[in-house]
């Protein structure tokens, strides 16, 4: 376990030695003695937090709701800087799921989360406490990751995949860093813009245009954390100008680009999620390691397989 120090934040961070057997799953382990008002920055993945320590994380949102214990949050949760996490003596495994596989793993579509942080018990019932007991019962982080990987693989195998057209559109959005045009994606799969919007939102939890904005923001935010100048980030990420970048960062986080550059929620990614800013096929939100167009059930669903299904 490595130590992450960022200002007043001091966390223990563990990473799996091996990639997950499920494409689109990444994990990290955290041990935090004092988690004080951590801003949750919107991310393109679906986030699972499974706690098993002596303490319990608490998540507060702008509506005054508090969620304790193991939670799940859909892509983009925390927009406007509205969601904060805190707690003492927190130990947990955090899982990031590509939206392409999230419906199969969760048992519900990310759209059913309705943009909120949800207690995982509401989805998985008593299984959550049993998972916590098993995580607590092993002393090795690698054993905990193996346990979680087995669980996620089993749920993924039994769950329903998303439409291959939807998966392909998502991979195009991620691979283009959010710059793919919705009209072009719809035309590529032979759907109307309205049909793509409806299927994409119902299966992944957000409409394609919003997905593009979120993916582009995530890329830009990590560039800012890495120390790149805002003007250069704006130009490289496809924003009209630096003011456009400023507006988007504030819309997603409620703060300025300069403040985002110092957010520990993002700064820890270099340790917790190595390779998290790689593009295309290795992106952890893409849902694949071996192919930019791999389907949610591990079967190839690129343009050629879409054509074979009669869409082209």
């Amino acid at each position: 376990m490595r130590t992450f120090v960022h200002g007043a934040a001091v966390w223990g961070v563990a990473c799996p030695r091996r990639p997950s057997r499920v494409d689109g799953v990444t994990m990290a382990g955290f041990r935090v003695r004092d988690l004080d008002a951590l801003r949750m920055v919107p991310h393109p993945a679906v986030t699972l937090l499974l706690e098993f320590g002596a303490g319990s994380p608490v998540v507060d949102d702008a509506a005054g709701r508090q969620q304790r214990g193991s939670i799940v949050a859909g892509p983009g949760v925390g927009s406007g800087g509205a969601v904060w996490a805190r707690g003492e003596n927190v130990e947990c495994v955090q899982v990031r799921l590509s939206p392409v596989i999230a419906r199969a793993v969760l048992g519900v579509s990310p759209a059913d989360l309705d943009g909120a942080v949800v207690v995982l018990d509401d989805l998985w019932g008593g299984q959550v406490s049993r998972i916590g007991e098993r995580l607590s019962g092993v002393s090795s982080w690698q054993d905990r990751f193996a346990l979680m990987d087995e669980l996620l693989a089993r749920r993924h195998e039994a769950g329903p995949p998303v439409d291959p057209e939807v998966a392909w559109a998502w991979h195009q959005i991620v691979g283009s860093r959010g710059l793919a045009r919705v009209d072009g994606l719809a035309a590529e799969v032979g759907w109307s813009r309205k049909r793509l919007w409806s299927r994409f939102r119902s299966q992944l939890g957000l409409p394609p245009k919003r997905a593009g904005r979120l993916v582009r923001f995530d890329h830009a935010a990590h560039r800012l954390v890495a120390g790149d100048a805002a003007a250069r980030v704006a130009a490289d990420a496809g924003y009209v100008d630096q003011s456009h970048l400023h507006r988007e960062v504030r819309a997603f986080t409620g703060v300025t680009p300069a403040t985002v550059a110092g957010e520990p929620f993002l700064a820890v990614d270099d340790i917790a999620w190595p390779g998290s800013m790689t593009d295309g096929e290795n992106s952890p939100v893409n849902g694949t390691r071996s192919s930019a167009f791999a389907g949610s059930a591990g079967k190839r669903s690129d343009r050629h397989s879409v054509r074979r299904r009669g869409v082209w």
Side-chain angles (χ1 to χ4, degrees), residues 18 58 74-75 114 177 183 211 236 248 262 273 280-281 293 305 311:
R18 300 181 181 86
V58 180
D114 199 27
R177 298 178 182 171
D183 288 342
D236 291 349
E248 284 290 274
W273 316 97
E281 66 182 29
F293 304 112
S305 63
V311 177

Side-chain angles (χ1 to χ4, degrees), residues 211-222:
R213 286 182 59 202
L214 180 58
V215 168
R216 179 166 62 168
F217 158 76
D218 182 65
H219 173 73
H222 282 88

Side-chain angles (χ1 to χ4, degrees), residues 20-40:
S20 171
R21 72 184 79 176
V22 182
D23 290 344
V25 169
T26 54
M27 288 182 275
F30 294 92
R31 179 180 293 141
V32 185
R33 183 177 298 276
D34 186 9
L35 182 63
D36 183 23
L38 174 71
R39 188 196 318 273
M40 293 184 66

Side-chain angles (χ1 to χ4, degrees), residues 121 124-132 151 154-155:
D121 299 65
W124 290 358
Q127 185 181 23
V128 177
S129 62
R130 293 192 293 272
I131 294 170
L151 167 72
R154 190 165 60 247
R155 293 189 65 93

Side-chain angles (χ1 to χ4, degrees), residues 151-204:
L151 167 72
L152 296 171
R154 190 165 60 247
R155 293 189 65 93
H156 174 256
E157 183 66 25
V162 302
D163 292 337
E165 296 87 352
V166 169
W168 182 83
W170 171 260
H171 297 318
Q172 290 293 99
I173 289 170
V174 173
S176 68
R177 298 178 182 171
L179 297 180
R181 294 181 60 85
V182 179
D183 288 342
L185 297 175
E188 286 286 314
V189 299
W191 285 358
S192 68
R193 180 188 176 98
K194 182 177 180 180
R195 185 181 186 189
L196 177 61
W197 188 97
S198 176
R199 294 287 186 90
F200 196 101
R201 185 186 182 284
S202 67
Q203 296 180 26
L204 303 190

